[in-house]
Amino acid sequence: MNSFKRDKKEEEDGGGNPFQNMEKTTVLQEARTFNDTPVNPRKCAHILTKILYLINQGEQLGTTEATEAFFAMTKLFQSRDVILRRLVYLGIKELSPIAEDVIIVTSSLTKDMTGKEDLYRAAAIRALCTITDGAMLQAIERYMKQAIVDRSPAVSSAALVSSLHLTSISGDIARRWANEAQEALNSDNVMVQYHALGVLYQARKTDKHAVTKLVSKLTRTSMTSPYAACMLIRMACKLLEEEDGNGELLDFVASCLRHKSEMVVYEAAHALVNMGKSSTRELAPAISVLQLFCGSLKPALRFAAVRTLNKVAMSHPAAVTACNLDLENLIADPNRSIATLAITTLLKTGAESSVDRLMKQIATFVSEISDEFKVVVVQAIRALCQKFPRKHAVLMNFLSAMLRDEGGLEYKAAIADTIIAVMEGNSEAKEAGLAHLCEFIEDCEHISLAVRILHLLGQEGPTSKQPSRYIRFIYNRVILECASVRAAAVTALARFAAACPPLLPNILVLLSRCQLDSDDEVRDRAAYYCAILQQQFDPTTLSLVQPPLLSIPSLERALNNYVSSPMEEPFDISQIPPAQTVEEPTQPEILATAKQQQSRLSREETFMEKLAQVPQLALVMSKSPLFKSSPVVELTESETEYNVKCVKHSFSNHLVLQFDCLNTLSDQLLEDVRVAIEPPEGYRVVYEIPCLRLAYNEPGTTYTVLEFPEDVHASIATIPTTLRFMARDCDPTTGVPDAEQGYRDEYMLEDLEVTLADQMRGVGKQGVDFNAAWDAGATRGFSELEETFVLGASVTTLEGAVQSLVGFLGLEAVERSHRVATDAVGHTLLLGGIFRGGKEVLARARLALADSQVTMQLSVRSSDPDVAELVTSSVG
Amino acid sequence: MGLFDRLANIFGLRKKEVNVLVVGLNNSGKSTVINHFKREEERCIDIVPTVGFNVEKFAFKNVHFTAFDMSGHDRYRSLWEHCYKDCQGIIFLIDSSDKLRLVVAKEELDMLLQHPDIIGRKIPILFLANKMDLLDSLTTVKLVAGLGLERILDKPWHIRATNAVNGEGLQPAIEWLTDQIRDIYINKR
Ligand SMILES: Nc1nc2c(ncn2[C@@H]2O[C@H](COP(=O)(O)OP(=O)(O)OP(=O)(O)O)[C@@H](O)[C@H]2O)c(=O)[nH]1
Ligand SMILES: [Mg+2]
């Protein structure tokens, strides 16, 4: 009571937070009070609260500090004060990841969890599970099983949720406790039912068949818990995603639209519209439910509905137009988030004529909404630019105004991304876009964004109408910004110099000034570019200024190999695979916020690491770097006794087949496993590396090394494969094989194809000038072949033709020529890359569309005439 | 504090609370003994090896005991000493049928007696020669010799053969401890 009064007084004094200005060491000192007898519950509860507060404020405790506090805290178990005890549970949970020997409270917690005090039991279970490690798990298993089926819903829920957490310690916990969970599923408490379903799902998660059975059983009974029903909908959707054509599941989801709980109705509608495969007609019932929610009195429902509609509008604008009237009403919603979503949805579904009006409406409150929703607006504008290219001026202006506003990195990056995307999609917008971006970097506090924009300017600026106008903006960065921005600016300048000879003398002056910079990196770059650019101008300079993005680990390995060789021939850089470039998803759904997830290692790099672990492969690996790794090819049906997948690794002259095998029979142990192949004509099997032991459910790998045929034409082939092994029967539970000798057995696998795409790849020079390279090819004595094809019936669009050609050849599209303009009837696809062994290949495909039939004129130039012939002959 | 409490305090009638520490090697029967002291309706049915420790409460002759039932497993024996400071009595359990580990029990006892928080303190120690029902269990005389109990001069101690399963011998044993504690701590206060 006293403290309450004091707090109130402090509040009036303006000193709100009683925990302000606490010091970690002082508080930990106070924790010694825990050792006093008898325990003073009120005092100890206060101190414990302080400790919890500190930890939750991000204060770091050392192991010793935490352990001491933890030990002192264990003394509090002698108090019977309920509040204090529950704080102790929290303390245990917070300290258990840091302190040592936390399992000493196991018995005390087990006692509380099985005791009579209901206020203790659920919380004790949660605390117990956080301190339990693999070794202790067995000791508590019995209690946990009992708790799952306990009469008290709180206890049962706590035990169910904890068993989900425990799966990180022991993967099969959920399966071992599935019987109890099954019983809990019959509980009439909504939460228990939901949590039990969660555990049952976890138990079956890896076995699709079992999930299907569970779902189809439960869809027939009706779930009383709305939470469980929502989860069931999600499980059904996941199954539907994996296999289509399960009408029963779809009917179930659709029937949930008539559920009596709004939550379930929403979940079902959300699921239906997100299923991707649904057609506009199938969407109609879901959309009308959402439409109904738009008029709800509950803001949360309105929000959920409009947010979902907003998303659907990207893929199925026509389906959403039915809600236009309801959405118009929501523009005036007192909740700004709802209003924003309503407007941006209308922008997607509305006609071109309404764009101006809606943009004006957004402008009135765009400054009031949070960054997250500003990003939604940006997204909508991005979609609009694609839909109405003629509106780009209005929209660009709007974007640049937004760019000047306050905002976080993510928001600004989304705007910059949108401007860049608009520029790429619409050449008319390029000049304006670059101008807006230049203006933006004049005053941009986000370093990473400034660096990206400078990079873009360096790439796009030189080919604009008036390159010289960008130089001032870029050079200003060198004067005004931090080191990393300055370095990026120097590189951008160098690109202008290399690509626009008239600018060279002036830029050289600027670059020589940069050589006086205080930062090492900036100086180094400037010195490097000055040195290259001062040499006589020739086209090769460009690739030095703008080097291809090579895979660094592969380059390192190749250089190491080269250094240990006699080094008689010059180092061949064309052997090095490019660094992986992440293609932006070209789905209809445009997510401006989707961060480009740059995986640190490319496929080849990861495989290279893996192959380097196999000593027998060292010989092949030392001769040339890994040229290309194919996607995974399944050689078996998915649910068979043995599962074999293949990855084809191409080297200059060798083909390494990596077979990943899985034995799904628990009563068999396989030994000496290999994949026998019949080498096609011209191929030679160099050696096999068998997998010595393939136990149940433990993946194993065997390799076969082949030499490519001399004649490249023979390299495209079909290889019959068979799995051969020594099988031994074993005890399914222990995996120990019987004493008797095994028997030889074999198992037929699917044929393996070696394709053109396995042997060709791009070189990561996104910015190359195709025409220059094409012409240079002629002067360098490349042989050229040209042929005309009519593409098969499966290809009916230009996009389809581009996609299948890129996939078939394995080359890389340059100058963004893989993007086909909408409604175009003709397109030219430009491809570049190399054939294994470093043979350059260029290809130009002129495509024409007439009556859903695509005709293609394909010209190929290559440094090796056989390769050129191989390409044209295998397309036909 | 109300008037009655104050009066009660003067006449030594106030509820007395003491802490006792229950130690001994694992499997000697500590948890079983404590369980027996609890009221019938509070007892647990099955007793499993203790992990860490457990706090139990029971009352005897108007003295309220808080017993720290420690684990005797070697991994957790180091926890014992954390409780030495605040306890007013010690119950030391010996499994009298476990001849093999009697030396281990002696070693632990010696360490306890030499601990700074125990040495020189007049603290009563109750030794329970548990599992007396088992055939080849040692007699208390043999245990006194085996553990060297006659060396303990500055602390009151007492040894008693017990059977924690049916409670035989426990009543007089706890009676002794209660009287000692009453003499040393409560009546002095
Ligand atoms: N025959 C017999 N068995 C006993 C006696 N006292 C305890 N036990 C049994 O001895 C086993 C161990 O008892 P606990 O009470 O768990 O031993 P503890 O000393 O608490 O062991 P930790 O907690 O591991 O240190 C149990 O199976 C008891 O039933 C006794 O007097 N006679
Ligand atoms: Mg015990």
Side-chain angles (χ1 to χ4, degrees):
Chain A
M1 198 59 208
N2 260 340
S3 73
F4 179 62
K5 266 186 204 148
R6 198 178 52 236
D7 283 353
K8 199 155 177 214
K9 191 160 171 290
E10 270 173 9
E11 225 166 53
E12 282 160 9
D13 294 347
N17 183 355
F19 292 127
Q20 232 164 21
N21 306 324
M22 276 192 317
E23 247 248 311
K24 180 175 78 171
T25 40
T26 332
V27 175
L28 290 177
Q29 198 86 22
E30 285 180 60
R32 296 203 177 148
T33 313
F34 297 167
N35 289 312
D36 292 354
T37 36
V39 171
N40 179 340
R42 261 197 47 204
K43 205 163 145 200
C44 291
H46 187 63
I47 296 168
L48 196 46
T49 311
K50 285 195 210 171
I51 295 179
L52 290 171
Y53 178 83
L54 281 180
I55 296 177
N56 280 302
Q57 290 292 305
E59 188 81 57
Q60 300 285 332
L61 263 60
T63 311
T64 330
E65 286 171 331
T67 310
E68 264 170 27
F70 186 83
F71 266 69
M73 197 172 66
T74 60
K75 289 286 172 58
L76 302 180
F77 271 103
Q78 50 182 304
S79 165
R80 277 185 176 156
D81 187 275
V82 177
I83 296 174
L84 183 60
R85 182 68 60 88
R86 290 172 62 103
L87 279 169
V88 169
Y89 298 142
L90 292 179
I92 291 174
K93 284 200 280 192
E94 293 292 341
L95 290 173
S96 67
I98 331 166
E100 280 170 347
D101 286 328
V102 291
I103 61 169
I104 62 162
V105 288
T106 303
S107 274
S108 306
L109 291 172
T110 331
K111 186 181 151 207
D112 287 352
M113 115 182 216
T114 52
K116 295 209 176 59
E117 179 60 86
D118 272 341
L119 283 171
Y120 290 166
R121 299 177 59 208
I125 290 173
R126 295 200 185 89
L128 183 62
C129 289
T130 51
I131 61 159
T132 297
D133 56 18
M136 285 311 297
L137 192 56
Q138 218 186 348
I140 66 162
E141 179 152 5
R142 188 162 51 102
Y143 302 111
M144 288 297 292
K145 283 184 172 182
Q146 267 164 19
I148 289 176
V149 294
D150 197 277
R151 241 181 300 116
S152 153
V155 170
S156 180
S157 268
L160 286 163
V161 174
S162 295
S163 52
L164 285 176
H165 288 303
L166 285 174
T167 47
S168 62
I169 291 165
S170 165
D172 64 343
I173 273 295
R175 211 166 331 124
R176 294 216 303 262
W177 302 352
N179 281 339
E180 284 73 18
Q182 185 72 50
E183 196 179 325
L185 190 66
N186 299 327
S187 159
D188 42 16
N189 179 284
V190 290
M191 270 300 161
V192 174
Q193 210 179 68
Y194 169 54
H195 291 145
L197 183 58
V199 173
L200 288 175
Y201 177 64
Q202 175 74 29
R204 290 165 170 77
K205 211 167 67 177
T206 50
D207 181 353
K208 206 172 109 187
H209 200 65
V211 177
T212 315
K213 249 169 63 188
L214 175 73
V215 172
S216 67
K217 196 178 96 198
L218 292 178
T219 48
R220 266 176 260 128
T221 66
S222 84
M223 291 259 141
T224 48
S225 159
Y227 306 104
C230 286
M231 175 149 185
L232 196 57
I233 292 175
R234 288 186 190 181
M235 285 158 62
C237 287
K238 187 134 188 293
L239 288 175
L240 279 168
E241 234 167 66
E242 284 159 14
E243 56 182 320
D244 28 27
N246 190 330
E248 217 174 290
L249 287 180
L250 202 61
D251 289 348
F252 162 70
V253 179
S255 75
C256 288
L257 288 174
R258 294 185 299 273
H259 200 278
K260 55 183 181 303
S261 156
E262 280 165 341
M263 188 197 303
V264 180
V265 175
Y266 171 70
E267 185 67 39
H270 180 263
L272 284 171
V273 300
N274 278 305
M275 225 166 299
K277 290 171 224 160
S278 332
S279 69
T280 305
R281 195 174 52 81
E282 282 166 330
L283 286 180
I287 301 274
S288 45
V289 164
L290 294 172
Q291 184 174 13
L292 218 60
F293 284 171
C294 281
S296 163
L297 285 177
K298 299 179 190 163
L301 268 188
R302 294 202 301 276
F303 177 77
V306 71
R307 194 161 87 130
T308 310
L309 287 172
N310 188 329
K311 235 172 128 208
V312 193
M314 299 205 204
S315 48
H316 298 87
V320 182
T321 32
C323 309
N324 276 0
L325 211 62
D326 308 79
L327 290 168
E328 290 279 356
N329 287 335
L330 290 180
I331 294 180
D333 200 285
N335 181 318
R336 289 302 191 205
S337 308
I338 295 177
T340 311
L341 287 166
I343 294 191
T344 49
T345 312
L346 284 168
L347 281 175
K348 287 169 206 156
T349 58
E352 190 165 356
S353 56
S354 60
V355 170
D356 291 315
R357 175 178 63 91
L358 291 168
M359 292 307 290
K360 251 196 215 112
Q361 249 161 338
I362 294 190
T364 58
F365 64 82
V366 76
S367 56
E368 293 168 37
I369 56 181
S370 69
D371 270 13
E372 195 193 337
F373 286 99
K374 285 183 185 165
V375 170
V376 175
V377 175
V378 174
Q379 253 172 355
I381 295 177
R382 185 167 175 169
L384 272 181
C385 289
Q386 284 190 334
K387 206 161 121 199
F388 307 124
R390 275 186 300 166
K391 283 276 172 215
H392 73 83
V394 185
L395 297 167
M396 274 285 205
N397 277 333
F398 194 82
L399 284 174
S400 83
M402 286 175 100
L403 211 44
R404 281 193 297 270
D405 272 356
E406 293 286 295
L409 173 61
E410 203 171 311
Y411 168 49
K412 291 294 171 75
I415 303 175
D417 277 341
T418 304
I419 295 184
I420 294 168
V422 174
M423 279 162 48
E424 279 177 3
N426 188 339
S427 53
E428 281 169 48
K430 180 167 154 182
E431 304 282 327
L434 287 179
H436 287 313
L437 291 175
C438 277
E439 205 177 304
F440 172 54
I441 52 169
E442 291 276 78
D443 184 23
C444 166
E445 75 249 63
H446 308 292
I447 294 171
S448 61
L449 201 53
V451 168
R452 253 181 73 197
I453 292 175
L454 283 167
H455 177 81
L456 183 85
L457 286 176
Q459 243 169 5
E460 300 296 330
T463 54
S464 66
K465 285 197 195 90
Q466 203 190 338
S468 60
R469 56 188 290 221
Y470 302 107
I471 303 298
R472 181 176 60 85
F473 287 102
I474 299 174
Y475 189 65
N476 278 348
R477 299 303 104 218
V478 178
I479 303 171
L480 298 168
E481 302 280 353
C482 68
S484 36
V485 176
R486 294 205 300 274
V490 165
T491 303
L493 284 176
R495 289 198 182 143
F496 276 88
C500 316
L503 294 175
L504 181 65
N506 287 337
I507 291 181
L508 274 178
V509 175
L510 298 178
L511 285 179
S512 58
R513 279 191 215 152
C514 298
Q515 290 188 57
L516 304 173
D517 197 282
S518 61
D519 181 78
D520 290 350
E521 171 75 19
V522 178
R523 265 198 325 274
D524 286 356
R525 285 195 190 190
Y528 172 74
Y529 293 131
C530 275
I532 297 174
L533 293 166
Q534 266 160 352
Q535 288 166 7
Q536 211 182 6
F537 184 82
D538 81 273
T540 54
T541 330
L542 194 58
S543 69
L544 287 175
V545 172
Q546 195 173 338
L549 298 166
L550 295 179
S551 144
I552 301 295
S554 306
L555 181 62
E556 183 187 358
R557 191 182 293 272
L559 283 170
N560 271 332
N561 282 342
Y562 180 68
V563 171
S564 58
S565 78
M567 295 199 273
E568 277 153 5
E569 289 164 28
F571 180 72
D572 181 6
I573 201 163
S574 69
Q575 299 272 355
I576 314 301
Q580 203 170 35
T581 46
V582 180
E583 273 291 304
E584 265 186 76
T586 46
Q587 302 153 354
E589 211 162 294
I590 308 145
L591 295 174
T593 48
K595 291 205 192 75
Q596 303 216 340
Q597 290 189 337
Q598 208 90 33
S599 62
R600 265 175 294 120
L601 292 178
S602 73
R603 254 173 86 69
E604 277 76 13
E605 282 156 17
T606 341
F607 278 126
M608 194 80 149
E609 299 289 315
K610 185 171 172 184
L611 296 178
Q613 307 292 317
V614 185
Q616 297 97 315
L617 290 175
L619 190 68
V620 176
M621 307 263 297
S622 68
K623 284 189 184 146
S624 76
L626 175 56
F627 177 78
K628 186 170 186 175
S629 296
S630 75
V632 178
V633 186
E634 301 261 2
L635 295 181
T636 48
E637 304 273 314
S638 59
E639 276 162 36
T640 47
E641 299 94 307
Y642 313 109
N643 206 312
V644 182
K645 295 179 176 135
C646 178
V647 179
K648 298 165 276 181
H649 302 289
S650 303
F651 291 78
S652 282
N653 296 313
H654 291 98
L655 178 67
V656 174
L657 301 176
Q658 168 189 333
F659 297 101
D660 294 320
C661 313
L662 190 72
N663 166 14
T664 64
L665 298 179
S666 58
D667 57 355
Q668 257 192 15
L669 173 71
L670 307 189
E671 286 175 351
D672 189 29
V673 183
R674 53 185 82 215
V675 175
I677 66 168
E678 285 167 39
E681 210 177 301
Y683 275 93
R684 189 173 69 85
V685 177
V686 186
Y687 51 85
E688 290 177 335
I689 306 168
C691 170
L692 298 181
R693 208 183 111 89
L694 191 63
Y696 164 62
N697 234 349
E698 286 172 25
T701 305
T702 149
Y703 298 91
T704 302
V705 181
L706 292 165
E707 194 175 59
F708 275 116
E710 286 282 308
D711 175 11
V712 290
H713 291 282
S715 66
I716 295 177
T718 302
I719 309 180
T721 58
T722 315
L723 187 68
R724 296 224 165 101
F725 49 83
M726 173 79 83
R728 293 179 66 181
D729 294 333
C730 66
D731 183 333
T733 46
T734 59
V736 177
D738 298 346
E740 47 201 272
Q741 270 276 291
Y743 47 93
R744 286 240 144 247
D745 203 351
E746 58 178 53
Y747 189 82
M748 284 291 279
L749 303 175
E750 308 268 327
D751 289 350
L752 188 65
E753 313 267 352
V754 182
T755 64
L756 197 54
D758 291 336
Q759 307 176 63
M760 298 213 290
R761 61 163 164 77
V763 285
K765 288 191 206 169
Q766 220 91 58
V768 293
D769 182 345
F770 184 85
N771 280 331
W774 183 257
D775 295 342
T779 54
R780 286 163 64 199
F782 280 19
S783 52
E784 177 175 345
L785 282 176
E786 190 168 282
E787 231 167 297
T788 305
F789 306 91
V790 176
L791 299 186
S794 58
V795 181
T796 53
T797 60
L798 291 176
E799 288 93 347
V802 167
Q803 258 171 30
S804 57
L805 201 61
V806 170
F808 181 80
L809 293 179
L811 294 172
E812 162 190 58
V814 291
E815 293 187 355
R816 295 198 196 89
S817 62
H818 59 296
R819 296 196 184 178
V820 181
T822 29
D823 303 335
V825 289
H827 183 75
T828 305
L829 172 66
L830 308 173
L831 297 164
I834 47 174
F835 189 82
R836 65 181 163 82
K839 295 154 185 165
E840 283 178 55
V841 184
L842 293 165
R844 186 177 60 202
R846 292 206 166 96
L847 303 162
L849 179 73
D851 299 336
S852 295
Q853 192 168 57
V854 181
T855 323
M856 169 173 80
Q857 184 193 45
L858 180 69
S859 318
V860 181
R861 285 187 177 178
S862 169
S863 52
D864 183 333
D866 287 333
V867 171
E869 203 186 315
L870 176 68
V871 173
T872 43
S873 66
S874 51
V875 170
Chain B
M1 204 181 279
L3 178 65
F4 179 75
D5 280 349
R6 225 176 297 161
L7 281 178
N9 205 10
I10 291 165
F11 295 109
L13 290 170
R14 193 175 159 257
K15 191 167 115 180
K16 288 133 206 131
E17 300 207 13
V18 293
N19 286 353
V20 292
L21 185 62
V22 189
V23 292
L25 300 190
N26 51 320
N27 200 41
S28 53
K30 297 177 295 293
S31 305
T32 318
V33 166
I34 299 295
N35 198 39
H36 200 88
F37 289 145
K38 292 199 286 188
R39 272 183 302 174
E40 200 106 28
E41 66 272 18
E42 284 177 1
R43 288 184 195 162
C44 18
I45 306 136
D46 65 335
I47 286 171
V48 294
T50 310
V51 180
F53 68 97
N54 235 331
V55 184
E56 305 281 2
K57 306 220 172 192
F58 59 88
F60 190 76
K61 279 196 173 172
N62 201 31
V63 175
H64 290 258
F65 288 89
T66 300
F68 286 85
D69 171 18
M70 309 304 289
S71 166
H73 198 279
D74 52 5
R75 183 169 167 192
Y76 306 110
R77 277 180 217 155
S78 56
L79 279 178
W80 297 0
E81 60 179 7
H82 291 279
C83 304
Y84 291 164
K85 212 182 208 135
D86 305 315
C87 68
Q88 283 89 44
I90 295 175
I91 303 179
F92 196 102
L93 268 271
I94 308 123
D95 176 350
S96 48
S97 68
D98 189 359
K99 297 192 186 91
L100 210 57
R101 291 204 299 165
L102 189 62
V103 283
V104 186
K106 180 171 189 305
E107 207 169 294
E108 293 295 343
L109 174 65
D110 289 347
M111 273 189 349
L112 182 151
L113 291 170
Q114 273 145 36
H115 193 275
D117 290 344
I118 296 287
I119 203 160
R121 256 177 84 194
K122 193 182 173 197
I123 178 169
I125 309 183
L126 172 64
F127 292 94
L128 297 183
N130 197 31
K131 307 205 185 177
M132 62 186 256
D133 54 308
L134 295 181
L135 269 183
D136 49 353
S137 57
L138 293 169
T139 60
T140 48
V141 180
K142 284 213 176 113
L143 284 173
V144 169
L147 295 170
L149 298 187
E150 65 283 351
R151 293 169 304 152
I152 309 175
L153 302 172
D154 59 344
K155 302 180 193 0
W157 60 269
H158 182 69
I159 186 162
R160 190 110 212 167
T162 55
N163 174 350
V165 178
N166 64 9
E168 212 179 324
L170 286 178
Q171 186 75 11
I174 192 71
E175 208 161 307
W176 176 84
L177 187 66
T178 315
D179 290 343
Q180 288 296 326
I181 290 177
R182 201 187 281 279
D183 278 355
I184 300 173
Y185 298 97
I186 301 175
N187 290 347
K188 245 192 222 163
R189 250 185 226 163

